[in-house]
Amino acid sequence: MARLPEYLRALHNLAETGHETVSSEGLANAAGVNSAKLRKDLSQLGSYGTRGVGYDVGLLIDQIEYVLGLTQRRAVALVGVGNLGHALAGYDGFASRGFRIAALFDADQERVGEEINDLVVLHIDELPRVAAEESIAIGVIATPAAAAQRVADQLVAVGVTSILNFAPCVLSVPDGVDVRKVDLAIELQILSFHEHRKASLTALPAAGGSALTALPGGLAVTESQEAIGT
Amino acid sequence: MARLPEYLRALHNLAETGHETVSSEGLANAAGVNSAKLRKDLSQLGSYGTRGVGYDVGLLIDQIEYVLGLTQRRAVALVGVGNLGHALAGYDGFASRGFRIAALFDADQERVGEEINDLVVLHIDELPRVAAEESIAIGVIATPAAAAQRVADQLVAVGVTSILNFAPCVLSVPDGVDVRKVDLAIELQILSFHEHRKASLTALPAAGGSALTALPGGLAVTESQEAIGT
DNA sequence: CGCGATTTGTGCACGTCTTCACAAGCGCCT
DNA sequence: AGGCGCTTGTGAAGACGTGCACAAATCGCG
């Protein structure tokens, strides 16, 4: 499930604050989900809490980390050292949560050789060589949209089977390769939609006016407060 | 729907390449979704394509932009000018897709006064003054997790009703305020999970071994190829 | 003017996810 | 040892999203 990482983060917080056990209710609050949902998710793990007490924080962390495949520190290749790539290369959240940025690549010779966080930016053509030396299963694309598909192909060619794509475009990859997309502008646009909706609702208590004016009110938005969908 | 922004991006691409109309099939491919799903989404808009021809690209862009509330350029306040905040402040994808970063804030006096993209970083205490001058409805939090809740409270206090949160923590906000969360490490962990799953499946054709070893295979992952869920 | 090719809009059925509600189990206190 | 309160695990019901398949509609061409 896609919620496990959120549970894991909440659990680490709890562990740091000295909690040894936690109830489903407590963990659910910390992770921002329903307690029944959380229990069902954890039961899928084969995890066992103790009735009347709750879950053992340390044990649960181990279990989730195992299921997520975080027992080994996975090597990640980051392609595209522009504005966003720079930030990602320097983001310590990766290192602290089970990942190691193994190499930085860029197609721009201007950027090749630059050093970020003790890592030197390599030219993208060096990707096959580096991939042969280190086992890289995850690639991060932080290039402009125009270059993203080409980079994806190159990553797949050297054996990468999971890609995190920050470029605003759809990637086509072979079966067996997973792609997750993060588009920062889209996130804002979704918020803008809710803004517009809220504004329309307060301005027009009873829906009326032209077809266009009635549109946003007509769109059914089921439940979106505190959407944790990423 | 959360897919509208994706359609919009694909439509802009099509418009730039000279297309005046597009079929649901064509647009669905460009956006990475099913064509039936796309038609159903668009029908919710009250949008009308022409049977036998398709949709008018320009008209559809206008409609979607209207529904998303992008007819006005929305002002965004960005709080936290660290590694990630820096990148977000310089990201031109915001400006080109309907948003204007109106102000940058940070709590660190070291960073106050710094200039990024023609914008000067202000101290967070100036937020009320700036908010009074400009109508800011959307806030972006790019601070460490420890500061996020406090910043969220401050944003809500000055009338912000939509928050994009990059800090790895759950925010609690009053009803009527929308929060979207983007956690970069979580995205990687989800990919790691799929990696682990793929590795287990190839290594253990028939499930066997200890309970722990059998776990990842036992987790049902319905359909995740090319996940476009953000 | 009529016909065929094409594409939209949608009814329907299916599978999934979510939530409620409650029985079963565990520990603690007396 | 027994009872009581608390918490887990799960069955069932409902909401929701998804995709198929087809009727209705439009255009172009002869």
Side-chain angles (χ1 to χ4, degrees), chain A residues 110-132:
Chain A
E110 289 278 324
R111 295 214 179 93
V112 171
E114 187 179 350
E115 187 169 327
I116 306 172
N117 257 23
D118 297 337
L119 231 52
V120 178
V121 177
L122 306 176
H123 192 270
I124 182 69
D125 291 343
E126 306 235 37
L127 176 59
R129 184 179 59 75
V130 175

Side-chain angles (χ1 to χ4, degrees), chain A residues 1-6 8-9 13 29-32 41 44-47 63 65-72 74 76 83-84 86-94 97-99 137-140 160-164 166 168-200 212-216 218-221 224-230, chain B residues 1-6 8-9 13 29-32 41 44-47 63 65-72 74 76 83-84 86-94 97-99 137-140 160-164 166 168-200 212-216 218-221 224-230:
Chain A
M1 295 282 187
R3 283 184 295 267
L4 290 180
E6 192 71 36
L8 184 58
R9 188 192 51 71
N13 269 2
N29 282 352
D41 286 346
Q44 291 284 314
L45 283 188
S47 150
Q63 292 225 358
E65 285 190 344
Y66 174 79
V67 173
L68 291 180
L70 299 177
T71 47
Q72 52 177 309
R74 292 190 182 273
V76 176
N83 220 330
L84 181 59
H86 235 96
L88 294 175
Y91 183 47
D92 56 356
F94 290 153
R97 293 212 254 163
F99 300 93
I138 300 181
V140 176
V160 167
T161 47
S162 291
I163 294 177
L164 181 54
F166 285 92
C169 65
V170 179
L171 296 180
S172 75
V173 294
D175 282 357
V177 176
D178 288 299
V179 176
R180 283 191 75 81
K181 185 181 167 194
V182 175
D183 189 323
L184 306 177
I186 283 188
E187 298 298 326
L188 277 186
Q189 290 181 341
I190 294 173
L191 286 177
S192 171
F193 166 65
H194 288 130
E195 280 299 313
H196 191 209
R197 195 176 121 269
K198 281 184 276 196
S200 314
L212 266 183
T213 314
L215 274 180
L219 264 184
V221 173
S224 56
Q225 240 96 343
E226 302 213 354
I228 312 256
T230 316
Chain B
M1 295 283 186
R3 283 185 294 266
L4 289 180
E6 192 72 36
L8 184 58
R9 189 192 51 70
N13 270 2
N29 282 352
D41 286 346
Q44 290 284 315
L45 283 188
S47 151
Q63 293 226 358
E65 286 190 343
Y66 175 80
V67 173
L68 290 180
L70 299 177
T71 47
Q72 51 177 310
R74 293 190 181 271
V76 175
N83 221 331
L84 181 60
H86 236 96
L88 293 175
Y91 183 46
D92 56 356
F94 290 153
R97 292 212 254 164
F99 300 94
I138 300 181
V140 176
V160 167
T161 48
S162 291
I163 293 177
L164 181 55
F166 286 92
C169 65
V170 179
L171 296 181
S172 75
V173 294
D175 282 359
V177 177
D178 287 298
V179 176
R180 283 191 73 81
K181 185 180 167 193
V182 175
D183 189 323
L184 307 176
I186 283 188
E187 298 297 326
L188 278 186
Q189 289 180 341
I190 294 173
L191 287 176
S192 172
F193 165 65
H194 288 132
E195 280 299 313
H196 192 208
R197 196 177 121 267
K198 282 184 275 196
S200 314
L212 267 182
T213 313
L215 275 179
L219 265 184
V221 174
S224 57
Q225 240 97 344
E226 302 213 354
I228 313 254
T230 317

